[in-house]
């Protein structure tokens, strides 16, 4: 079977890599892919933009591709799934209507209210009205742009002045609507669940590290590292997450006649009292969570994705997982998440791989004719290690990162620090 993966990040490299571990998959095509998918065995890039739906549909037909997996939120929000399904092509991902769970924070809040899902108290405003509300509520408070903002649409304000400045900053950003939200305390975890629209099943929990700086300081990023599983999420807590969050949300989506066959990603705050509350939903696999969840999956990924597309997830036996832990350390371009330079030669990927790490590439490309991998984005590599316990996985991920160099390379030295405080 041949699969097409849409996207060019670390998540898509991890999806392609995991699919190629399956005995059922002989080839993966990535549109447009990156340096990692360009150089992986049995994988090939096609230079089509993620919103070139016609080009992607033609490639699927011409190349005899059996399944399309959509990585990023942007093509999902633009309706790639609707487009491909209308042409009878098998595609894993929610429709445009379903993708609103991520593309409109105010709509997601309506769904949560309807489903009675625990989440931060919030209200939706225009910029002017938001300021009055902030004055009345006080700080800390959280300001969110309504639409997609590539991880840059949320500001956690510690003072009223910061909150007012955040309103100014975000009201120009993609949407005039703002969601103002109660600040939640606790530990964040990501639970990625797969659904065929009728049944929903969680994958193992992961923890991201969203801030650029060590000790969780500085600006928000797309994610600087992750680990899985997360000991804080016990079996008992996962059962509550399923009952109180995942199942009611799916039911509410059904009530809106939304046929959701893809990933429902719940970004959760586990409060100091131990209760799970939703911070946000995403309509896709997380990045870098995918880079730690999928390497631990023992069930062939294509079997799960196809069961979702064909609406027979209920019949699938429980997913099998490898024992142990996975850790991913992201190496970023100097300056990220602000301006950074591109085109820096990356050295040491082979050495890191020889040490047993999986180097998932994100913002990279293969420069011709030298066949040199160079930087091409903010988050450049996700260096992942799997081991029989967390401490070994972390040591081996960092050992591998130290083999890699490129000009301006930055990585956090404290990925996984929250694991230790949970233990
Ligand atoms: P989001 O894009 O909604 O995930 O927000 C980005 C980050 O902002 C989250 O991962 C949290 O760290 C933080 N955040 C968002 N909403 C809240 C909230 N209500 N309380 C505390 N932190 C939040
Ligand atoms: N790691 C955060 C996200 O994928 O949105």
């Amino acid at each position: 079977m041949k699969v097409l993966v849409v996207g060019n990040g670390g998540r898509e490299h991890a999806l392609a890599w995991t699919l190629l571990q399956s005995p059922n998959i002989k080839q993966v095509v990535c549109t447009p892919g990156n340096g990692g998918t360009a150089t992986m065995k049995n994988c090939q890039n096609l230079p089509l933009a993620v919103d070139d739906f016609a080009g992607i549909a033609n490639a699927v037909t011409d190349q005899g591709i059996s399944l399309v997996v959509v990585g990023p939120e942007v093509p999902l929000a633009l309706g790639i799934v609707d487009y491909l399904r209308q042409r009878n092509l098998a595609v894993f991902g929610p429709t445009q209507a379903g993708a609103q769970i991520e593309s409109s924070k105010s709509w997601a809040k309506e769904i949560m209210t309807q489903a009675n899902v625990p989440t931060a108290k919030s209200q939706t405003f225009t910029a002017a009205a938001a300021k009055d509300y902030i004055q009345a509520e006080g700080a800390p408070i959280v300001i969110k742009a309504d639409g997609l903002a590539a991880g840059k649409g949320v500001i956690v304000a510690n003072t009223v002045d910061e909150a007012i400045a955040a309103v100014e900053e975000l009201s120009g950003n993609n949407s005039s609507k703002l969601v103002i939200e109660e600040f939640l305390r606790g530990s964040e975890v990501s639970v990625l669940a797969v659904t065929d629209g009728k049944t929903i099943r969680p994958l193992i929990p992961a923890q991201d590290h969203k801030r650029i700086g060590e000790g969780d300081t500085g600006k928000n990023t797309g994610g600087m590292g992750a680990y899985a599983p997360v000991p804080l999420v016990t079996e008992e807590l996962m059962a509550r997450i399923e009952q109180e969050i995942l199942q009611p949300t799916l039911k509410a989506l059904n009530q809106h006649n939304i046929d959701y066959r893809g990933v429902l990603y719940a970004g959760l705050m586990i409060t100091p009292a131990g209760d799970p509350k939703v911070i946000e939903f995403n309509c896709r696999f997380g990045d870098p969570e995918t880079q730690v969840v999928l390497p631990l999956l023992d069930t062939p990924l294509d079997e799960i994705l196809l069961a979702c597309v064909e609406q027979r997830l209920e019949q699938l036996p429980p997913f099998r997982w490898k024992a142990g832990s996975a850790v991913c350390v992201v190496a970023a371009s100097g300056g990220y998440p602000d301006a950074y330079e591109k085109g820096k030669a990356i050295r040491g990927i082979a050495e890191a791989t020889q040490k047993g790490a999986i180097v998932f590439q994100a913002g990279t490309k293969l420069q011709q004719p030298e066949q040199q991998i160079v930087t091409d984005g903010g988050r450049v590599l996700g260096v992942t290690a799997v081991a029989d316990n967390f401490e070994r996985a972390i040591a081996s991920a960092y050992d591998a990162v130290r083999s890699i160099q490129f000009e301006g390379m930055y990585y956090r030295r404290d990925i996984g620090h929250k694991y230790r405080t949970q233990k």
Side-chain angles (χ1 to χ4, degrees):
M1 177 170 141
K2 221 165 149 177
V3 180
L4 186 144
V5 174
V6 176
N8 65 350
R11 163 186 52 212
E12 287 75 23
H13 189 185
L15 284 164
W17 181 89
T18 309
L19 286 163
L20 284 167
Q21 307 293 308
S22 163
N24 313 319
I25 306 289
K26 77 169 196 284
Q27 214 195 347
V28 173
V29 175
C30 292
T31 57
N34 59 27
T37 54
T39 48
M40 188 164 57
K41 199 174 160 224
N42 298 324
C43 191
Q44 153 207 348
N45 287 351
L46 255 188
L48 294 173
V50 298
D51 60 357
D52 182 357
F53 299 170
I56 291 170
N58 286 337
V60 171
T61 314
D62 295 348
Q63 300 205 26
I65 285 165
S66 324
L67 174 67
V68 177
V69 184
V70 185
E73 61 277 17
V74 169
L76 293 167
L78 291 172
I80 190 171
V81 170
D82 310 69
Y83 186 96
L84 296 176
R85 272 210 212 153
Q86 276 156 18
R87 285 155 185 79
N88 286 319
L89 303 174
V91 52
F92 178 84
T95 56
Q96 186 171 35
Q100 288 179 93
I101 197 110
E102 176 167 2
S103 68
S104 169
K105 292 197 190 276
S106 56
W107 190 82
K109 280 288 183 187
E110 279 172 38
I111 293 284
M112 286 185 251
T113 307
Q114 216 172 75
N116 209 9
V117 161
T119 183
K121 184 183 93 173
S122 81
Q123 283 196 47
T124 303
F125 292 102
T126 59
K131 291 183 190 168
D132 293 337
Y133 180 77
I134 289 166
Q135 296 285 4
E137 287 287 306
I141 195 159
V142 182
I143 324 296
K144 301 186 173 185
D146 189 45
L148 290 181
K152 288 160 196 143
V154 175
I155 295 177
V156 178
N158 291 313
T159 63
V160 168
D161 286 348
E162 269 177 52
I164 303 286
V167 168
E168 299 285 341
E169 187 180 332
L170 293 179
S171 52
N173 193 343
N174 265 339
S175 91
S176 50
K177 266 199 272 179
L178 293 174
V179 176
I180 313 287
E181 206 171 270
E182 165 200 10
F183 175 77
L184 296 175
R185 276 166 228 285
S187 299
E188 280 187 69
V189 294
S190 305
V191 173
L192 281 55
V194 291
T195 175
D196 62 0
K198 298 191 274 195
T199 302
I200 186 157
R201 278 204 207 166
L203 307 180
I204 53 171
Q207 192 163 49
D208 188 8
H209 297 65
K210 295 219 167 155
R211 304 295 192 100
I212 188 70
E214 282 155 24
D216 300 318
T217 55
K219 289 197 174 171
N220 259 326
T221 70
M224 293 303 294
Y227 68 88
V230 183
L232 178 69
V233 185
T234 56
E235 262 179 50
E236 193 189 358
L237 181 56
M238 188 58 105
R240 283 187 62 194
I241 292 167
E242 289 188 63
Q243 281 155 27
E244 294 171 25
I245 294 168
L246 300 175
Q247 284 157 11
T249 302
L250 182 62
K251 201 168 151 201
L253 290 168
N254 286 334
Q255 281 161 356
H256 285 257
N257 287 319
I258 288 170
D259 179 359
Y260 199 112
R261 304 180 210 176
V263 169
L264 180 66
Y265 161 146
L268 303 174
M269 191 70 88
I270 311 302
T271 67
D275 300 317
K277 289 192 177 182
V278 176
I279 295 176
E280 63 163 352
F281 281 120
N282 292 320
C283 63
R284 46 156 181 95
F285 284 100
D287 187 338
E289 290 92 333
T290 303
Q291 290 89 310
V292 289
V293 170
L294 294 186
L296 292 171
L297 178 68
D298 231 3
T299 304
L301 177 61
D302 54 291
E303 290 177 12
I304 297 174
L305 303 183
L306 272 179
C308 289
V309 172
E310 294 167 2
Q311 295 201 292
R312 47 177 179 74
L313 185 58
E314 195 181 10
Q315 294 154 34
L316 226 58
F319 304 156
R320 295 187 308 275
W321 298 97
K322 298 184 178 90
S325 280
V327 173
C328 172
V329 177
V330 169
S333 295
Y336 174 80
D338 296 322
Y340 53 83
E341 291 177 9
K342 293 183 180 177
K344 310 291 183 195
I346 305 173
R347 315 209 182 273
I349 292 176
E351 289 79 350
T353 308
Q354 261 156 29
K355 287 179 170 172
I358 316 164
V359 180
F360 291 124
Q361 297 187 31
T364 71
K365 68 176 181 193
L366 181 64
Q367 194 157 283
Q368 307 285 7
E370 320 78 310
Q371 298 282 314
Q372 170 67 50
I373 301 282
V374 299
T375 67
D376 195 38
R379 292 189 293 167
V380 176
L381 304 172
V383 180
T384 297
V386 176
D388 54 5
N389 70 42
F390 172 82
E391 292 298 340
R392 282 201 196 105
I394 210 115
S396 126
Y398 275 107
D399 184 38
V401 170
R402 285 190 289 269
S403 305
I404 293 173
Q405 310 102 37
F406 56 87
E407 195 189 313
M409 171 170 149
Y410 167 79
Y411 60 92
R412 275 180 61 168
R413 265 76 172 168
D414 66 343
I415 298 305
H417 70 99
K418 284 179 281 192
Y419 181 98
R420 298 190 175 106
T421 56
Q422 288 169 45
K423 276 271 144 180

